Each structure stands twice: as C-alpha cells, then as structure tokens.
Amino acid sequence: MALHRPAALGTLMSGCGARTLRGQIRKSSESSMSPARPAIAAKHPYQVDLEAGKLYAWCACGHSKKQPFCDGSHKKATPSITPLRFKLDEPKTAWLCGCKHTQSPPYCDGTHKEEFIQKAELPKQP
C-alpha cells in the first residue's frame, strides 16, 4: 500500500499554526481493486473549537459515529483509509470537512456544495 499526502495539506497546515503528525491518508494501490473511497458522512462541515496542543484524529473514511473525529471504524469498514492526525499550536474555531472529499483536509473547502455530494445517499445510521 502506498501512502499519499495531499499537497494542499502541507501548505494549509503550515499556514495556520498546525503540525501534522501522521497526516497521510493511506489508500490501496492494488491494481486488481479500485482504491477505497471515503463514505460521505455529512453534506455539511462541522464547526468545532480546537484546543492548542491536543492531538486530534479527523475521520477520513466517513464511517465514524463520532464525526468529524475518528472512532476506529475504518479498521473494519475501510482499512486502507486512516485518520488524519493533527495538533494545533494555538486554539481556534474551525470548520472540519464532513463530506470527506475536501482538497484541504481536515478543513472544509466547500466541496460539500458540489452536486455529487448533495445527490449522494448518506450511510445508514443504526
């Protein structure tokens, strides 16, 4: 499996006082299977108050029941997609992506407004 780091992440994270600890989103590179795609957890971002120095794990797979943060659901649902772990140098309020298709993870970039997100069926919640 190959590890890929979104190019926008390094720029975005370094520009807002954040450090990425394990900022890779792992994806399958097997040619016989198509790469795993995240589930659309929500059609909106999550407004959260983030603390300085705290380690966060943003759900990248879309299966967590504790959105927008990881609860370990990826281990069964999509083991090839791991959470994005990050820590801020200063506290801030942020909009974290709920659709899991942002080009600026973990932050919302407005992708949830796209037609393919708005027309998508959300995973069933128990």
Side-chain angles (χ1 to χ4, degrees), residues 66-100:
K66 296 181 178 183
Q67 292 294 334
F69 301 108
C70 178
D71 69 358
S73 294
H74 65 277
K75 293 174 185 173
K76 282 190 174 184
T78 53
S80 63
I81 301 177
T82 58
L84 185 144
R85 291 175 174 84
F86 67 101
K87 187 183 283 191
L88 298 177
D89 292 328
E90 296 181 13
K92 74 180 220 175
T93 299
W95 290 92
L96 299 185
C97 177
C99 75
K100 309 306 174 187

Side-chain angles (χ1 to χ4, degrees), residues 1-2 10 12-13 20 25-26 28 44 46 49 54 57 59 62-63 65 69 73 85 101 106-107 114 116-117 119 122:
M1 288 186 224
L12 181 68
M13 297 298 276
T20 306
I25 297 176
R26 194 168 36 138
S28 173
H44 58 80
Y46 296 91
D49 294 320
K54 182 176 178 180
C59 170
H63 293 282
K65 304 289 186 268
F69 301 108
S73 294
R85 291 175 174 84
H101 289 270
Y107 303 104
E114 299 285 331
F116 81 100
I117 298 290
K119 288 190 173 188
L122 294 176

